[in-house]
């Protein structure tokens, strides 16, 4: 009898657990941390799913962004579930955009992204010589 | 057989008669009348043997020889242009052709008329102007140069038989000079009229000499003479002030532009970037902005600064692009490519700056500004990318900026 009661109690407790409900409804959280080549967080970086209209800014302090669900322009939701393949575009002004493909795991979904700076090639630009204001060439 | 020999002999005899006549074409005249008769490159000069021009000279026996011949053809005697040790004489008179006429120094050397070669450096120049025999073979001063600028070529070849009368009065020797050995035959030639030597005409002088004289003067009316000094950045403060005063009082816009360009080139030559920027800004803002080279160079200079100058970069790059049709070929390709690049990078700087501001201060205004500059960068990058593709140039950087600003590759690859 006591064994039966304990089983029933466990079943009730298990089904009413908030943790259980959350994992099922909101998907698996995925965290992206964006840094530059010096391992400093890029405060101006944004993360975007290719099907999304909005860009998500990272945390300006640590360069991180975390979500478990995305809202697509057609009103549907994209929940992150274990085993799904996730595509994300990470960009920042002055940095080369990275497109990553990531397979979501059950937990510990942290992706570290390093954005290289766009190289300025100033030396390639030729400087013209400024001519004098001549009406016609001097003989 | 005899007929055959006879025919061949006749043919050979005829050839011997005809060939020399055919060989004497116009080419032989160019050797006789060289364009530069003198050893230092001038078409005419005065040597120990008298005046040498592009006309014919005569050897000791009176036979005509080309004036650039150093030795007589028949007697192997040295001619008036024998010595090769003659360099270009320096022009040290003032710019513009107004020169003093040092008459006394132009007296010919009594010993000089001898046509014997003088193996000392610059005998030609010294003989022309040295007052006495002791100075033969030594370089002389400005009086020498003034003689060089005398338009001798305009005169007939001086009569060797009457060297005194054929020379300008100022050059006549004070005592009868010995007659040059090579000249007596020329007595049949017309006597040249003496030309007043006090009216020298300025010959083209070496650039460095003009630069020196222009730099030393405070006159700024002739802008062309100031150009070499301006290119070297060696205009004096007085000349700079003179040009500024002219610029302020000048009514014609084209003349203003010319004056301004001299000042700009001078600042560039000095390497004074701050002054160069100030002058170019004034030129573009107030005088003329139709020169795409200047707009491009100014835009390039501004691009080396931070985000605060990025708007200027875009502005002057746009003006340069308005007049891009003045460029052609590879210049067109490289400049237009560079201008799109400058615009994109400037837009990116503005966007980065606005983003950084928004990150620290989350206001709607800052967000709108960031979005505006991001869109600007996206458009500029797309323009650059399209042009790079169309002109078959490198698209890597343009694509990077485009994707960075657009946030997606779809916009840039489409």
């Amino acid at each position: 009898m006591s064994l039966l009661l304990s089983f029933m109690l466990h079943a009730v407790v298990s089904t009413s657990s908030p943790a259980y409900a959350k994992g099922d409804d909101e998907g698996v959280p995925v965290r992206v941390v964006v840094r530059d080549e010096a391992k400093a967080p890029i405060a101006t970086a944004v993360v975007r799913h290719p099907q999304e209209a909005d860009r998500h800014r990272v945390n300006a302090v640590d360069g991180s962004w975390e979500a478990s669900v995305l809202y697509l322009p057609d009103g549907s939701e994209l929940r992150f579930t274990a085993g799904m393949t996730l595509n994300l575009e990470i960009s920042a002004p002055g940095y080369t955009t990275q497109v990553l493909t990531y397979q979501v795991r059950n937990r510990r979904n942290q992706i570290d992204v390093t954005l290289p700076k766009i190289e300025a090639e100033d030396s390639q630009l030729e400087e013209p010589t400024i001519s004098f204001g001549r009406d016609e060439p001097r003989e | 057989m005899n007929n055959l020999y006879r025919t061949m002999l006749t043919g050979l005899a005829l050839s011997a008669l005809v060939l020399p006549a055919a060989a004497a074409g116009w080419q032989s005249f160019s050797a006789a009348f060289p364009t530069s008769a003198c050893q230092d490159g001038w078409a005419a000069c005065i040597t120990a043997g008298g005046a040498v021009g592009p006309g014919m000279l005569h050897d000791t026996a009176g036979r005509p020889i080309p004036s650039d011949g150093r030795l007589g053809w028949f007697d192997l005697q040295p001619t008036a242009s024998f010595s090769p040790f003659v360099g270009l004489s320096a022009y040290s008179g003032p710019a513009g052709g107004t020169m003093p006429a040092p008459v006394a120094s132009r007296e010919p050397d009594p010993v000089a008329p001898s046509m014997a070669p003088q193996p000392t450096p610059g005998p030609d120049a010294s003989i022309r102007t040295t007052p006495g025999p002791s100075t033969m073979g030594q370089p002389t001063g400005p009086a020498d140069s003034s003689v060089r600028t005398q338009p001798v070529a305009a005169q007939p070849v001086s009569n060797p038989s009457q060297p005194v009368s054929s020379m300008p009065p100022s050059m006549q020797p004070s005592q009868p000079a010995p007659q040059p050995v090579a000249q007596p035959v020329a007595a049949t030639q017309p006597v040249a009229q003496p030309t007043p030597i006090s009216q020298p005409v300025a010959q083209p002088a070496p650039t460095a000499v003009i630069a020196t004289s222009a730099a030393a003067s405070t006159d700024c009316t002739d802008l062309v003479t100031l150009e070499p000094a301006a290119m070297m950045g060696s205009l004096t403060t007085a000349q700079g002030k003179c040009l500024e005063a002219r610029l302020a009082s000048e009514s014609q816009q084209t003349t203003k532009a010319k004056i301004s360009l001299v000042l700009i080139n001078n600042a560039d030559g000095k390497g004074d970037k701050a002054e160069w920027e100030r002058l170019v800004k004034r030129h573009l803002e107030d005088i003329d902005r139709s020169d795409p080279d200047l707009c491009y160079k100014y835009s390039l200079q501004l691009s080396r600064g931070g985000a605060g100058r990025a708007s200027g970069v875009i502005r002057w790059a746009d003006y340069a692009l308005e007049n891009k049709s003045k460029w052609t070929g590879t210049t067109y390709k490289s400049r237009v490519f560079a201008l799109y690049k400058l615009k994109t990078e400037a837009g990116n700087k503005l966007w980065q700056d606005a983003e950084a501001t928004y990150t620290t201060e989350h206001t709607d205004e800052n967000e709108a500004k960031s979005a505006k500059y991001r869109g600007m960068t996206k458009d500029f990058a797309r323009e650059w990318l399209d042009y790079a593709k169309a002109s078959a140039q490198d698209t890597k950087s343009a694509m990077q900026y485009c994707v960075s600003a657009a946030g997606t590759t779809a916009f840039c690859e489409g």
Side-chain angles (χ1 to χ4, degrees):
Chain A
M1 188 63 183
S2 63
L3 189 63
L4 183 63
L5 279 175
S6 64
F7 268 119
M8 287 174 66
L9 185 63
H10 176 73
V12 169
V13 169
S14 301
T15 51
S16 62
S17 165
Y20 181 82
K22 184 180 178 184
D24 217 19
D25 293 341
E26 295 183 8
V28 180
V30 173
R31 179 183 167 91
V32 177
V33 180
V34 187
R35 294 191 178 93
D36 62 14
E37 288 169 319
K39 301 297 176 194
I42 301 175
T44 56
V46 290
V47 178
R48 177 181 170 274
H49 188 273
Q51 294 175 354
E52 249 188 328
D54 296 332
R55 296 155 15 115
H56 306 283
R57 292 176 181 277
V58 299
N59 185 311
V61 177
D62 61 4
S64 68
W65 168 81
E66 185 174 331
S68 56
V69 62
L70 296 174
Y71 302 95
L72 302 180
D74 61 359
S76 61
E77 293 181 352
L78 178 68
R79 292 179 191 282
F80 301 158
T81 56
M84 76 177 288
T85 303
L86 187 62
N87 289 315
L88 293 173
E89 292 176 342
I90 295 102
S91 60
Y95 292 88
T96 305
T97 299
Q98 300 278 332
V99 179
L100 66 89
T101 303
Y102 178 74
Q103 190 160 20
V104 180
R105 297 182 296 200
N106 284 327
R107 58 199 177 97
R108 291 186 181 175
N109 289 300
Q110 174 158 329
I111 311 165
D112 290 318
V113 178
T114 302
L115 295 186
K117 277 199 170 184
I118 298 174
E119 292 296 329
E121 297 159 353
D122 219 20
S123 58
Q124 289 185 354
L125 299 184
E126 171 208 2
E127 281 212 35
T129 305
I130 303 304
S131 58
F132 291 97
R134 296 266 185 85
D135 293 330
E136 55 189 7
R138 192 186 179 203
E139 297 261 325
Chain B
M1 200 60 170
N2 285 339
N3 285 342
L4 183 60
Y5 282 131
R6 203 172 298 148
T7 308
M8 288 174 66
L9 285 170
T10 310
L12 285 171
L14 281 172
S15 301
L17 288 171
V18 170
L19 281 175
W26 285 106
Q27 290 177 340
S28 59
F29 287 93
S30 60
F33 301 100
T35 51
S36 300
C38 302
Q39 298 299 335
D40 63 356
W42 289 97
C45 55
I46 299 171
T47 67
V52 177
M56 302 295 282
L57 291 182
H58 295 82
D59 63 8
T60 52
R63 291 175 289 248
I65 55 170
S67 57
D68 62 342
R70 296 187 182 179
L71 296 172
W73 174 257
F74 298 102
D75 53 9
L76 291 178
Q77 290 299 310
T79 64
S81 54
F82 175 79
S83 174
F85 300 105
V86 179
L88 279 172
S89 54
Y91 176 81
S92 58
T98 53
M99 284 194 312
V103 175
S105 65
R106 288 186 185 142
E107 292 180 2
D109 180 5
V111 183
S114 166
M115 291 192 67
Q118 302 296 328
T120 50
D124 184 24
S126 65
I127 289 167
R128 265 176 259 139
T129 56
T130 46
S134 63
T135 56
M136 274 191 62
Q138 297 173 4
T140 54
D144 184 21
S145 307
S146 66
V147 174
R148 298 299 296 264
T149 59
Q150 177 69 16
V152 180
Q155 304 173 16
V157 176
S158 63
N159 188 346
S161 65
Q162 300 178 1
V164 177
S165 63
S166 65
M167 282 187 164
S170 59
M171 294 190 66
Q172 290 180 6
S174 56
Q175 52 187 344
Q179 294 299 317
V181 181
Q183 294 174 352
V185 178
T188 55
Q189 294 180 357
V191 176
Q193 294 299 318
T195 305
I197 202 161
S198 58
Q199 299 171 355
V201 176
Q203 298 290 331
T207 304
V209 177
I210 291 179
T212 309
S213 59
S217 169
T218 55
D219 182 27
C220 64
T221 50
D222 188 0
L223 295 175
V224 175
T225 58
L226 294 176
E227 287 176 5
M231 285 179 75
M232 303 293 292
S234 58
L235 285 183
T236 61
T237 311
Q239 283 173 324
K241 282 181 181 173
C242 176
L243 287 169
E244 286 287 352
R246 265 194 77 187
L247 189 65
S249 61
E250 181 61 49
S251 58
Q252 280 193 330
Q253 206 71 356
T254 51
T255 310
K256 273 189 172 185
K258 289 175 187 174
I259 297 167
S260 176
L261 284 171
V262 170
L263 289 167
I264 287 168
N265 273 286
N266 184 53
D268 198 24
K270 277 197 291 190
D272 188 348
K273 286 292 178 193
E275 176 69 358
W276 184 87
E277 270 187 36
R278 185 188 72 80
L279 292 169
V280 173
K281 186 168 190 283
R282 180 180 67 177
H283 186 94
L284 295 176
E285 295 276 9
D286 303 336
I287 300 171
D288 178 28
R289 61 182 60 157
S290 65
D291 181 359
D293 278 334
L294 195 56
C295 292
Y296 165 61
K297 195 168 181 178
Y298 187 53
S299 181
L300 185 60
Q301 172 65 20
L302 291 178
S303 74
R304 295 183 181 119
R309 310 174 97 191
S311 297
V313 174
I314 295 166
R315 182 183 179 206
W316 295 111
D318 278 335
Y319 277 118
L321 284 169
E322 276 182 15
N323 295 296
K324 65 185 176 187
S325 58
K326 292 186 180 178
W327 293 319
T328 54
T330 53
T331 306
Y332 179 93
K333 273 179 70 176
S334 63
R335 297 274 162 81
V336 173
F337 182 89
L339 285 166
Y340 283 130
K341 177 176 156 60
L342 288 175
K343 280 180 68 177
T344 305
E345 287 174 350
N348 187 63
K349 275 181 192 170
L350 289 170
W351 177 35
Q352 275 184 282
D353 190 54
E355 275 286 321
T357 308
Y358 178 68
T359 304
T360 54
E361 198 177 337
H362 279 266
T363 63
D364 289 344
E365 187 186 352
N366 288 340
E367 188 177 20
K369 194 181 278 186
S370 173
K372 175 189 156 191
Y373 289 137
R374 177 175 155 250
M376 189 188 276
T377 307
K378 188 173 74 173
D379 292 342
F380 292 162
R382 182 58 198 256
E383 278 182 325
W384 180 19
L385 182 63
D386 288 347
Y387 179 74
K389 281 180 185 171
S391 59
Q393 296 185 71
D394 184 24
T395 59
K396 186 184 162 194
S397 295
M399 180 62 88
Q400 284 178 338
Y401 279 113
C402 183
V403 173
S404 171
T408 173
T409 54
F411 172 81
C412 305
E413 289 175 348

